[in-house]
Amino acid sequence: MRPELENLQRDFQDNVVEGVMSEVMLEILGSDVVTGKEFLKILTRLSELAKGFIDTGRFEETLLIYNTLYTHSLGGRFKSEALNTIEYFFHSQDFTERFIRALRAWGLKNRDGAARLSRPLRKSLMGPLLAVALDEEDENARKLFLSLLVAMGRDLIPVVMKALHSDDAGRVRMLLYLVRKCGTDSDLSVVRTLLGHKNQRIGTAAVRTLLHFKTKDSLPYLKIYLESREPEVRLEAIELAGLYRLKETVPAVEGILDRKDLLGTAHAEKVAAVRALGRMGDISILDRFSRILETRSLISKGKLEDLKLEIFRSLRNFPPEDVEPLLRLGVWSDNQEMKAISAEIMGKLYGAGETPVDA
Amino acid sequence: MPERIAAIISDLMGAASNAALHSKEHPSVEDFCKKALLGLEPFFSSGAASFAITGYTLRFNDFLTLSQKSLVVGTFVDKLRRKGIGKVTIRKGVTTTELAAFVADLLPSERTPRSSPRIFVEQTSSTRTAGTPEILGEMLPAAVRIVKEAHRKVLKAEPVDLDDLEGLVVRFIHLLGQPQSILDVVKPHRANQDYSYVHAVRVSLLAIDLARAIGMEGDPLHQVGLAGLLFDVGRLFIPHEVLNKTGDLDERERATIQQHPLYGAMYLAALEDIPKLAVIAAFEHHMKFDGTGYPDTRWRDRHQHIVSQIVSLTDFFDALRAQQPYRKAYAIPLIVKKMQEGARKEFNPVLVQEFTGRLDRLGLLR
């Protein structure tokens, strides 16, 4: 078959014909000649086409039908007919289920189309999509669902608030993520009820939400969690302190770094503490860092090296001139990453490729 | 009940569409088949469920006639017809894998579905192969009568007897299977009171011939034939005095005339069973290859679909081959010259080349 004939034949494929048919029907609906009777009949055929489009992940073609009907519903000659189709077809449970099934199958491939269609359908979509997102096991699909929910903005908050009363930490954390993304500080009353939750992982997520909105009561709660008996909770609290660069927590986090840890069980916490302190960029901590860098250990040499490396990684967050003494230790290190970081920051101080004579 | 069957068909077509767009192994194909199976389950109490087609009519379990008002039912019928399937019986115990294999085989690129342990496929009795060879002149009066009746029904918004039109297209295809029959179709003809219907018949024949020349066969070819028969139906909705005015048209009259593609497409789209290609051709046959022409569009881009390109080219040819009261029929070489001048502007150059090449091979350009 000659290539130019193959091109012509492509027009006969079902998906092409359906797309053109849909556009032609949209033209007819928008024309002056259409009568009410024909408008309704064509709406029925268009709805069927829309089902076919959504079942095969053709979000843009579905959106085109929706948008046209929406335009008609605003002021067309048959606005009530168009409005009814939007309400009873596009916002129906059946259509929503089809859409969610299509999102799972094609949403990742066609994120833009999925997002563009989910926005106008948010009224009926947000509840079922939230339920599906909370139960979704596939991480990529869950991330997609959450991103679509985030794009729905503040309208999502009442639905999220209703779902917040759960003991499942994973679900609550996802919901609080949505509060942070879509809510404001006026949406925090329910969140505050979670601060004393028996599951402290829910509590830390609630604190994170308060920290996000910079509320006055967030810091005292964070300090409580920094003192938690549960290592996992402490670790999360440390990460939050670093994430929100809370210099007020420096003494508490430094305290964690100072704790004796003969068995090395708190190693992850200490690394996290260094990272958090580094993020805060408070120069008062540099003496403490310096002491760690000068420490020698025969028992937990590997773990100490990890800690030292984390210190060097954090040095980029401080003014170069304040960390110079530490960099001098780094440039003579056997660890290539420490050496590279030190050289990089030294370069900022003295110019690339230059090192001080006594280094 | 019909809604439940339509839902089953919708799931089967969902599976087929997904197999076509992605692959038959795509998880969504299995999902749709599972849903279809769930829908079929209650009907297995009597052992099996069946879909049978006669012409364009679909019957479930031999008693329930399903309306093609539903597009998915129409699509299902199209797919079965394209594969020459008359009946499918699905027996209790059928698996999603069997169902997925069946729907995937309904795709044009796949083999014709074969029976599996629990899906029994029966081929249609060959309704598309007519018996005795025909001659256009003998066939024409009956053909005109059928087309006239179909147009009359469209005008009254009554259901069109698609089986009659389809039967006509089958005869056209058979007629064109005879090598010299096209010579009858391209002969000049005198425009009489039935000119519109004679013209529709000739455009349908020429369109089938051209579509076949570019490699189309099976159901799409039939749909092209139907599109040729119905493309100008919108003219029925234009006042007689405007349509038959011999002098120049004023602006308002021209605007009225230019609405006929919209009227035609609207009434065809609103009728049950009318194939999509017929609606598309009715709407676009005055759009041109380069995107100019009418009607104006807001949602549709200005790319004329291939069926409309075929119909507008053959419409042009036959219109000039007709002897009108005010002019003689054009000679074929002159029409070909005009077509070639219009290539890339009015007409798809590939189609012009195919069409004129065919006339040349018949020795009609000398």
Side-chain angles (χ1 to χ4, degrees):
Chain A
M1 175 67 64
R2 291 179 1 232
E4 67 268 29
L5 296 189
E6 271 179 28
N7 284 340
L8 298 186
Q9 289 193 3
R10 212 163 289 146
D11 256 11
F12 285 104
Q13 289 172 359
D14 284 345
N15 59 328
V16 177
V17 173
E18 284 162 4
V20 177
M21 179 71 174
S22 163
E23 290 172 1
V24 166
M25 289 199 283
L26 294 178
E27 292 295 343
I28 296 168
L29 293 187
S31 73
D32 296 336
V33 306
V34 74
T35 63
K37 196 172 145 197
E38 270 68 35
F39 193 95
L40 279 176
K41 285 181 181 173
I42 291 169
L43 271 186
T44 308
R45 288 192 89 168
L46 260 178
S47 307
E48 293 245 10
L49 270 181
K51 271 189 204 170
F53 290 155
I54 201 75
D55 283 348
T56 47
R58 292 156 73 180
F59 302 126
E60 275 89 356
E61 283 157 296
T62 315
L63 182 64
L64 182 64
I65 297 176
Y66 177 90
N67 281 343
T68 312
L69 294 185
Y70 184 70
T71 308
H72 282 290
S73 74
L74 293 178
R77 280 194 296 144
F78 306 105
K79 59 182 179 184
S80 62
E81 286 84 347
L83 195 61
N84 283 342
T85 305
I86 288 175
E87 286 300 314
Y88 297 110
F89 174 73
F90 280 101
H91 289 296
S92 68
Q93 188 185 343
D94 175 61
F95 190 83
T96 303
E97 284 170 5
R98 284 169 190 267
F99 188 19
I100 290 176
R101 189 164 52 182
L103 285 174
R104 185 173 277 120
W106 298 283
L108 288 167
K109 271 191 197 163
N110 184 3
R111 272 175 182 274
D112 285 351
R116 289 180 64 215
L117 183 59
S118 56
R119 244 168 266 143
L121 296 177
R122 61 185 179 280
K123 182 178 78 178
S124 50
L125 182 65
M126 59 176 68
L129 185 60
L130 180 64
V132 169
L134 294 175
D135 290 335
E136 182 59 54
E137 288 177 4
D138 179 85
E139 194 187 340
N140 290 327
R142 189 174 59 242
K143 280 184 180 167
L144 169 75
F145 296 160
L146 289 174
S147 71
L148 296 177
L149 288 164
V150 166
M152 293 174 186
R154 260 193 78 65
D155 291 351
L156 185 69
I157 292 299
V159 186
V160 170
M161 290 302 168
K162 270 188 202 165
L164 260 179
H165 301 289
S166 164
D167 284 337
D168 182 322
R171 294 168 75 92
V172 174
R173 288 159 75 90
M174 255 190 275
L175 292 164
L176 290 174
Y177 164 78
L178 293 170
V179 173
R180 291 196 292 277
K181 289 289 179 181
C182 305
T184 67
D185 56 5
S186 62
D187 300 316
L188 298 177
S189 56
V190 181
V191 177
R192 285 197 171 88
T193 64
L194 300 173
L195 288 166
H197 201 282
K198 59 183 183 232
N199 184 336
Q200 292 200 2
R201 292 194 66 223
I202 291 180
T204 49
V207 170
R208 179 175 183 171
T209 309
L210 297 187
L211 287 170
H212 176 84
F213 291 108
K214 299 183 173 67
T215 65
K216 282 181 184 166
D217 54 349
S218 57
L219 201 57
Y221 277 108
L222 180 67
K223 285 181 179 170
I224 292 170
Y225 286 117
L226 282 169
E227 298 299 322
S228 169
R229 287 182 184 180
E230 288 182 42
E232 266 185 38
V233 173
R234 265 196 325 265
L235 188 63
E236 244 184 281
I238 294 167
E239 282 167 358
L240 287 179
L243 187 65
Y244 290 97
R245 295 183 164 82
L246 300 167
K247 291 191 178 177
E248 301 89 329
T249 62
V250 168
V253 179
E254 194 179 357
I256 290 168
L257 198 56
D258 285 342
R259 271 181 211 154
K260 291 268 185 282
D261 181 32
L262 290 175
L263 299 175
T265 49
H267 177 64
E269 243 176 271
K270 286 179 183 287
V271 171
V274 167
R275 194 179 301 134
L277 290 164
R279 280 192 160 191
M280 292 173 208
D282 189 324
I283 55 170
S284 69
I285 200 68
L286 290 174
D287 277 350
R288 182 74 192 85
F289 279 3
S290 180
R291 285 206 300 281
I292 294 173
L293 290 178
E294 284 163 359
T295 306
R296 299 275 182 273
S297 169
L298 292 174
I299 306 164
S300 304
K301 198 175 175 190
K303 287 182 176 169
L304 183 62
E305 280 302 298
D306 286 348
L307 208 55
K308 288 180 179 179
L309 180 58
E310 200 55 49
I311 289 174
F312 274 97
R313 285 175 181 158
S314 76
L315 295 184
R316 293 189 183 99
N317 299 322
F318 295 90
E321 54 279 9
D322 290 327
V323 296
E324 193 186 353
L326 280 68
L327 300 176
R328 289 175 192 279
L329 296 172
V331 291
W332 294 108
S333 167
D334 292 335
N335 182 301
Q336 291 305 311
E337 191 178 343
M338 290 183 201
K339 209 170 184 168
I341 293 169
S342 303
E344 175 200 318
I345 305 173
M346 282 277 203
K348 283 182 191 160
L349 266 179
Y350 299 105
E354 300 290 329
T355 47
V357 178
D358 61 342
Chain B
M1 173 89 141
E3 289 77 21
R4 281 165 63 196
I5 312 300
I8 295 167
I9 294 172
S10 170
D11 290 328
L12 290 174
M13 290 303 89
S17 303
N18 281 295
L21 274 179
H22 308 284
S23 75
K24 55 184 165 190
E25 288 81 24
H26 197 281
S28 57
V29 176
E30 195 189 338
D31 281 354
F32 275 108
C33 286
K34 273 184 191 161
K35 273 191 78 188
L37 211 51
L38 269 177
L40 283 167
E41 213 57 64
F43 299 103
F44 289 147
S45 55
S46 55
S50 69
F51 296 97
I53 53 171
T54 316
Y56 276 91
T57 307
L58 181 70
R59 283 187 187 81
F60 180 72
N61 277 355
D62 293 324
F63 70 92
L64 180 68
T65 302
L66 292 155
S67 164
Q68 284 204 46
K69 194 164 22 175
S70 157
L71 275 179
V72 282
V73 173
T75 306
F76 186 50
V77 169
D78 285 348
K79 286 193 187 299
L80 294 179
R81 285 168 56 85
R82 279 179 209 181
K83 295 286 180 176
I85 296 170
K87 189 171 183 180
V88 183
T89 307
I90 303 171
R91 297 204 176 98
K92 188 178 181 178
V94 65
T95 62
T96 48
T97 315
E98 270 179 286
L99 216 47
F102 169 73
V103 293
D105 281 347
L106 288 177
L107 302 178
S109 55
E110 300 295 327
R111 61 176 193 183
T112 298
R114 292 180 206 155
S115 296
S116 63
R118 282 164 298 257
I119 301 178
F120 186 60
V121 178
E122 293 170 62
Q123 295 297 307
T124 180
S125 52
S126 188
T127 51
R128 290 186 179 196
T129 52
T132 326
E134 294 185 273
I135 301 167
L136 179 61
E138 290 174 2
M139 184 198 281
L140 203 55
V144 167
R145 214 167 32 245
I146 290 169
V147 175
K148 206 171 180 175
E149 179 62 10
H151 280 61
R152 190 188 67 78
K153 286 191 167 170
V154 173
L155 188 60
K156 290 188 165 185
E158 289 175 4
V160 172
D161 190 338
L162 211 59
D163 284 347
D164 275 357
L165 290 174
E166 164 71 8
L168 204 52
V169 170
V170 170
R171 288 166 69 188
F172 289 171
I173 291 172
H174 186 60
L175 174 79
L176 292 166
Q178 303 160 55
Q180 296 302 305
S181 59
I182 190 70
L183 291 172
D184 282 340
V185 185
V186 298
K187 273 183 185 164
H189 55 100
R190 192 187 297 268
N192 58 18
Q193 59 185 20
D194 283 336
Y195 167 69
S196 300
Y197 311 112
V198 174
H199 178 58
V201 167
R202 287 177 174 276
V203 169
S204 173
L205 282 156
L206 291 166
I208 291 169
D209 194 63
L210 180 54
R212 194 141 64 176
I214 63 163
M216 297 316 301
E217 54 186 20
D219 204 58
L221 187 66
H222 285 247
Q223 288 203 31
V224 169
L226 288 170
L229 291 175
L230 297 168
F231 78 99
D232 231 0
V233 77
R235 286 167 66 91
L236 296 173
F237 300 93
I238 304 300
H240 201 259
E241 60 277 12
V242 177
L243 208 56
N244 293 329
K245 186 174 175 183
T246 46
D248 287 343
L249 297 172
D250 63 31
E251 206 164 305
R252 179 182 274 189
E253 289 165 336
R254 193 171 297 113
T256 305
I257 288 260
Q258 290 189 353
Q259 282 188 324
H260 83 268
L262 265 169
Y263 276 113
M266 176 177 71
Y267 283 103
L268 291 177
L271 287 173
E272 292 179 28
D273 306 348
I274 297 293
K276 298 180 193 83
L277 291 183
V279 179
I280 293 168
F283 183 79
E284 291 183 339
H285 68 277
H286 282 292
M287 267 172 70
K288 297 182 194 305
F289 180 71
D290 65 2
T292 59
Y294 62 88
D296 289 335
T297 55
R298 277 198 300 174
W299 307 101
R300 174 93 184 95
D301 67 22
R302 301 296 296 181
H303 165 77
Q304 195 187 20
H305 187 271
I306 183 70
V307 73
S308 315
Q309 294 173 6
I310 290 173
V311 166
S312 53
L313 187 74
T314 51
D315 173 31
F316 179 81
F317 177 87
D318 190 69
L320 294 184
R321 275 309 260 166
Q323 182 186 334
Q324 300 287 359
Y326 50 89
R327 67 153 170 80
K328 285 183 177 174
Y330 280 56
I332 290 178
L334 184 56
I335 303 176
V336 165
K337 187 168 172 274
K338 284 180 174 292
M339 279 182 171
Q340 286 166 340
E341 284 167 2
R344 288 191 183 78
K345 296 188 286 277
E346 276 185 75
F347 307 120
N348 183 330
V350 180
L351 291 182
V352 171
Q353 195 185 352
E354 285 298 323
F355 191 78
T356 57
R358 180 128 173 76
L359 296 172
D360 193 20
R361 284 190 292 280
L362 290 165
L364 295 169
L365 298 190
R366 276 168 251 148

